[in-house]
Amino acid sequence: MSIPKRRRRELRASFLMTAPFLFIFIVFFLYPTFSVIALSFTDAPLIGEGQWIGLDNYAKLLNDRLFYTSLWNNLYFVLLTVIPTTVIALLIALAVSRLKGRMQALVLTLFFLPYVLPVSVVTMIWAWMLDFQFGILQPLIAAITGKPVPVFKNPYWVMPMIAVVTIWWTNGFNVLLLIAGLRNIPPDLYEAAALDGATPWQRFWRVTWPLLWPITALVLTLQLILQLKLFDQVYLLSNGGPFNQSYVVLMQMYREAFQLNNGGYASAIAMVLFLFIVIVSVLQFQLLRIGGRK
């Protein structure tokens, strides 16, 4: 068989193998993305055609006080979750990595179990445990504050408690990533450090932390992207209240699209959030890479 004919057969085979993925990618991702971009420049309802209005939706968004409130709530939630959940996952991973055999598997299963639960089940569990009248955690809150607190109706408690729920729900995946990173560290390095007289803290700081940093940077970046897309927990636990203290960007997009039928304006909100997530996550990842090289 000639070389050109063989290359044509290879190209045909490669195209046939990638065609299903390309079809799904174009139909379910690329086409909807371009549709949303085009919709954001119109005054269209959620379903139907609209008139081209250029950048009017974006100009309106820049003067929308509710958008700035929701964006601040997103950033506040990021502060409450991204670094704390990474630190907690790292501590759990270090502890679990010291276990062996079935005990390690059992503990890992217990930590990962919440992650496989749907958000509706997670919020139902925590809404019951934190119920103002019957919640089993209300005595603990009363011991701290002196009285029971309706946490999801209190403007000072609502976002921290949603952050607690989110950390409990999602942290199992972070623990698995960090344990995988710990298992990739050669044991010989720890043995050499011990022979040199390094203390446990020095072994962690000089061996574990530098080699685990790429996985830690990945966890931080994934958590940043995930928490900026916050919607489900807020919608089910507080519905954005009280007094818009838990009102986030995706809730505003949902309200504009499905309640006010402003598809064009909702698309503009979605595009701004998308660009914000891309810029912030790329900057964070690059800064973390630079920090890891020092």
Side-chain angles (χ1 to χ4, degrees), residues 60-72:
K60 178 182 176 182
L61 193 60
L62 292 176
N63 297 309
D64 190 342
R65 294 183 60 184
L66 186 59
F67 174 74
Y68 290 108
T69 298
S70 62
L71 184 60
W72 162 249

PDB file of all heavy atoms in Angstrom, residues 60-72:
ATOM      1  N   LYS A  60     -26.766  48.418  30.651  1.00  0.00           N
ATOM      2  CA  LYS A  60     -27.746  48.307  31.734  1.00  0.00           C
ATOM      3  C   LYS A  60     -27.161  47.533  32.910  1.00  0.00           C
ATOM      4  O   LYS A  60     -27.397  47.890  34.080  1.00  0.00           O
ATOM      5  CB  LYS A  60     -29.005  47.606  31.210  1.00  0.00           C
ATOM      6  CG  LYS A  60     -30.075  47.385  32.255  1.00  0.00           C
ATOM      7  CD  LYS A  60     -31.264  46.631  31.657  1.00  0.00           C
ATOM      8  CE  LYS A  60     -32.308  46.313  32.734  1.00  0.00           C
ATOM      9  NZ  LYS A  60     -33.450  45.536  32.158  1.00  0.00           N
ATOM     10  N   LEU A  61     -26.384  46.511  32.607  1.00  0.00           N
ATOM     11  CA  LEU A  61     -25.791  45.691  33.664  1.00  0.00           C
ATOM     12  C   LEU A  61     -24.796  46.486  34.499  1.00  0.00           C
ATOM     13  O   LEU A  61     -24.705  46.313  35.718  1.00  0.00           O
ATOM     14  CB  LEU A  61     -25.103  44.478  33.031  1.00  0.00           C
ATOM     15  CG  LEU A  61     -24.671  43.338  33.963  1.00  0.00           C
ATOM     16  CD1 LEU A  61     -25.874  42.756  34.679  1.00  0.00           C
ATOM     17  CD2 LEU A  61     -23.952  42.264  33.176  1.00  0.00           C
ATOM     18  N   LEU A  62     -24.056  47.381  33.854  1.00  0.00           N
ATOM     19  CA  LEU A  62     -23.071  48.189  34.574  1.00  0.00           C
ATOM     20  C   LEU A  62     -23.734  49.140  35.560  1.00  0.00           C
ATOM     21  O   LEU A  62     -23.085  49.615  36.500  1.00  0.00           O
ATOM     22  CB  LEU A  62     -22.210  48.973  33.583  1.00  0.00           C
ATOM     23  CG  LEU A  62     -21.260  48.140  32.717  1.00  0.00           C
ATOM     24  CD1 LEU A  62     -20.535  49.031  31.719  1.00  0.00           C
ATOM     25  CD2 LEU A  62     -20.247  47.394  33.584  1.00  0.00           C
ATOM     26  N   ASN A  63     -25.009  49.467  35.352  1.00  0.00           N
ATOM     27  CA  ASN A  63     -25.738  50.367  36.242  1.00  0.00           C
ATOM     28  C   ASN A  63     -26.738  49.635  37.138  1.00  0.00           C
ATOM     29  O   ASN A  63     -27.571  50.278  37.774  1.00  0.00           O
ATOM     30  CB  ASN A  63     -26.479  51.427  35.412  1.00  0.00           C
ATOM     31  CG  ASN A  63     -25.530  52.318  34.636  1.00  0.00           C
ATOM     32  OD1 ASN A  63     -24.584  52.862  35.202  1.00  0.00           O
ATOM     33  ND2 ASN A  63     -25.759  52.461  33.341  1.00  0.00           N
ATOM     34  N   ASP A  64     -26.641  48.318  37.166  1.00  0.00           N
ATOM     35  CA  ASP A  64     -27.572  47.496  37.932  1.00  0.00           C
ATOM     36  C   ASP A  64     -26.992  47.240  39.323  1.00  0.00           C
ATOM     37  O   ASP A  64     -26.035  46.468  39.479  1.00  0.00           O
ATOM     38  CB  ASP A  64     -27.823  46.171  37.197  1.00  0.00           C
ATOM     39  CG  ASP A  64     -28.955  45.368  37.806  1.00  0.00           C
ATOM     40  OD1 ASP A  64     -29.322  45.637  38.958  1.00  0.00           O
ATOM     41  OD2 ASP A  64     -29.481  44.473  37.111  1.00  0.00           O
ATOM     42  N   ARG A  65     -27.556  47.880  40.339  1.00  0.00           N
ATOM     43  CA  ARG A  65     -27.045  47.727  41.703  1.00  0.00           C
ATOM     44  C   ARG A  65     -27.225  46.298  42.204  1.00  0.00           C
ATOM     45  O   ARG A  65     -26.396  45.794  42.968  1.00  0.00           O
ATOM     46  CB  ARG A  65     -27.758  48.707  42.639  1.00  0.00           C
ATOM     47  CG  ARG A  65     -27.456  50.172  42.348  1.00  0.00           C
ATOM     48  CD  ARG A  65     -28.141  51.081  43.344  1.00  0.00           C
ATOM     49  NE  ARG A  65     -27.702  50.808  44.708  1.00  0.00           N
ATOM     50  CZ  ARG A  65     -28.205  51.411  45.779  1.00  0.00           C
ATOM     51  NH1 ARG A  65     -29.182  52.286  45.652  1.00  0.00           N
ATOM     52  NH2 ARG A  65     -27.742  51.122  46.986  1.00  0.00           N
ATOM     53  N   LEU A  66     -28.296  45.640  41.776  1.00  0.00           N
ATOM     54  CA  LEU A  66     -28.518  44.267  42.201  1.00  0.00           C
ATOM     55  C   LEU A  66     -27.428  43.342  41.669  1.00  0.00           C
ATOM     56  O   LEU A  66     -27.033  42.391  42.344  1.00  0.00           O
ATOM     57  CB  LEU A  66     -29.894  43.790  41.726  1.00  0.00           C
ATOM     58  CG  LEU A  66     -30.345  42.406  42.224  1.00  0.00           C
ATOM     59  CD1 LEU A  66     -30.381  42.367  43.751  1.00  0.00           C
ATOM     60  CD2 LEU A  66     -31.707  42.054  41.651  1.00  0.00           C
ATOM     61  N   PHE A  67     -26.916  43.631  40.469  1.00  0.00           N
ATOM     62  CA  PHE A  67     -25.829  42.824  39.925  1.00  0.00           C
ATOM     63  C   PHE A  67     -24.575  42.964  40.788  1.00  0.00           C
ATOM     64  O   PHE A  67     -23.893  41.962  41.066  1.00  0.00           O
ATOM     65  CB  PHE A  67     -25.527  43.235  38.490  1.00  0.00           C
ATOM     66  CG  PHE A  67     -24.325  42.552  37.904  1.00  0.00           C
ATOM     67  CD1 PHE A  67     -24.373  41.221  37.531  1.00  0.00           C
ATOM     68  CD2 PHE A  67     -23.124  43.226  37.742  1.00  0.00           C
ATOM     69  CE1 PHE A  67     -23.266  40.573  37.005  1.00  0.00           C
ATOM     70  CE2 PHE A  67     -22.006  42.591  37.215  1.00  0.00           C
ATOM     71  CZ  PHE A  67     -22.077  41.264  36.851  1.00  0.00           C
ATOM     72  N   TYR A  68     -24.253  44.169  41.206  1.00  0.00           N
ATOM     73  CA  TYR A  68     -23.074  44.363  42.050  1.00  0.00           C
ATOM     74  C   TYR A  68     -23.256  43.692  43.411  1.00  0.00           C
ATOM     75  O   TYR A  68     -22.305  43.132  43.973  1.00  0.00           O
ATOM     76  CB  TYR A  68     -22.790  45.854  42.224  1.00  0.00           C
ATOM     77  CG  TYR A  68     -22.286  46.514  40.963  1.00  0.00           C
ATOM     78  CD1 TYR A  68     -23.088  47.384  40.244  1.00  0.00           C
ATOM     79  CD2 TYR A  68     -21.014  46.235  40.485  1.00  0.00           C
ATOM     80  CE1 TYR A  68     -22.626  47.971  39.074  1.00  0.00           C
ATOM     81  CE2 TYR A  68     -20.535  46.827  39.323  1.00  0.00           C
ATOM     82  CZ  TYR A  68     -21.349  47.687  38.617  1.00  0.00           C
ATOM     83  OH  TYR A  68     -20.891  48.262  37.461  1.00  0.00           O
ATOM     84  N   THR A  69     -24.479  43.723  43.929  1.00  0.00           N
ATOM     85  CA  THR A  69     -24.754  43.030  45.188  1.00  0.00           C
ATOM     86  C   THR A  69     -24.544  41.526  45.036  1.00  0.00           C
ATOM     87  O   THR A  69     -23.906  40.876  45.874  1.00  0.00           O
ATOM     88  CB  THR A  69     -26.201  43.301  45.648  1.00  0.00           C
ATOM     89  OG1 THR A  69     -26.367  44.701  45.876  1.00  0.00           O
ATOM     90  CG2 THR A  69     -26.523  42.542  46.920  1.00  0.00           C
ATOM     91  N   SER A  70     -25.081  40.972  43.955  1.00  0.00           N
ATOM     92  CA  SER A  70     -24.932  39.530  43.728  1.00  0.00           C
ATOM     93  C   SER A  70     -23.480  39.149  43.472  1.00  0.00           C
ATOM     94  O   SER A  70     -23.018  38.099  43.936  1.00  0.00           O
ATOM     95  CB  SER A  70     -25.818  39.098  42.558  1.00  0.00           C
ATOM     96  OG  SER A  70     -25.434  39.746  41.360  1.00  0.00           O
ATOM     97  N   LEU A  71     -22.733  39.999  42.756  1.00  0.00           N
ATOM     98  CA  LEU A  71     -21.325  39.702  42.498  1.00  0.00           C
ATOM     99  C   LEU A  71     -20.522  39.745  43.795  1.00  0.00           C
ATOM    100  O   LEU A  71     -19.646  38.894  44.020  1.00  0.00           O
ATOM    101  CB  LEU A  71     -20.756  40.703  41.491  1.00  0.00           C
ATOM    102  CG  LEU A  71     -19.310  40.470  41.042  1.00  0.00           C
ATOM    103  CD1 LEU A  71     -19.169  39.108  40.371  1.00  0.00           C
ATOM    104  CD2 LEU A  71     -18.861  41.575  40.083  1.00  0.00           C
ATOM    105  N   TRP A  72     -20.822  40.710  44.660  1.00  0.00           N
ATOM    106  CA  TRP A  72     -20.136  40.771  45.953  1.00  0.00           C
ATOM    107  C   TRP A  72     -20.452  39.520  46.783  1.00  0.00           C
ATOM    108  O   TRP A  72     -19.565  38.963  47.438  1.00  0.00           O
ATOM    109  CB  TRP A  72     -20.540  42.017  46.716  1.00  0.00           C
ATOM    110  CG  TRP A  72     -20.211  41.922  48.183  1.00  0.00           C
ATOM    111  CD1 TRP A  72     -21.083  41.830  49.222  1.00  0.00           C
ATOM    112  CD2 TRP A  72     -18.890  41.861  48.761  1.00  0.00           C
ATOM    113  NE1 TRP A  72     -20.405  41.704  50.412  1.00  0.00           N
ATOM    114  CE2 TRP A  72     -19.060  41.725  50.164  1.00  0.00           C
ATOM    115  CE3 TRP A  72     -17.609  41.896  48.238  1.00  0.00           C
ATOM    116  CZ2 TRP A  72     -17.987  41.642  51.035  1.00  0.00           C
ATOM    117  CZ3 TRP A  72     -16.536  41.808  49.124  1.00  0.00           C
ATOM    118  CH2 TRP A  72     -16.725  41.692  50.489  1.00  0.00           C
TER     119      TRP A  72
END
